[in-house]
Amino acid sequence: MTELRHIVLFGFRDGTTEAEIGEIARRFGALAGEISGIMSFEWGANNSPEGKAGGHGHCFMLTFVSEAARDAYLPHPKHRAFVEFASEWIERALVFDYRARPAGS
């Protein structure tokens, strides 16, 4: 069985500071230690020269052990609290989940 990736792209409102983005990332990443079934978390700012980010400037990726773990995470009170906190600064969001497949498969 392959890992389940949960990709979240955020476009922050104008005026959002680097400190605010850092706090959002810190709180998002903390969920990995608070909600079972999350294998890893990583994030970063877009640096693509292609200009096709559609207004999304930051990517956050969680890896889950299964769809069931992801499904338990979505309504989890700690996840809901994070969404409520971060929503103040988020202009747009895009979420995409997929099963990671090795090259050639």
Side-chain angles (χ1 to χ4, degrees), residues 4 6-7 14 26 31 39 46 53 56 60-61 73 77 85 90 94 97:
L4 180 69
H6 178 72
I7 306 296
D14 288 342
R26 185 193 70 73
L31 297 176
M39 297 172 60
N46 179 43
H56 300 95
F60 301 83
M61 185 175 75
Y73 157 85
F85 166 78
I90 297 170
L94 180 115
D97 295 351

Side-chain angles (χ1 to χ4, degrees), residues 13-34:
R13 297 184 198 285
D14 288 342
T16 303
T17 68
E18 288 300 316
E20 290 163 337
I21 293 170
E23 181 61 13
I24 289 165
R26 185 193 70 73
R27 289 184 185 211
F28 204 167
L31 297 176
E34 298 173 338

Side-chain angles (χ1 to χ4, degrees), residues 68-83:
R70 185 260 331 265
D71 294 348
Y73 157 85
L74 293 173
H76 194 284
K78 290 188 184 260
H79 174 246
R80 289 188 183 261
F82 165 74
V83 170

Side-chain angles (χ1 to χ4, degrees), residues 1-7 39-40 61-67 96-105:
M1 191 81 137
T2 58
E3 298 166 344
L4 180 69
R5 305 277 198 240
H6 178 72
I7 306 296
M39 297 172 60
S40 64
M61 185 175 75
L62 295 142
T63 300
F64 289 93
V65 298
S66 66
E67 278 90 353
F96 188 92
D97 295 351
Y98 70 96
R99 277 264 173 216
R101 295 169 51 168
S105 63

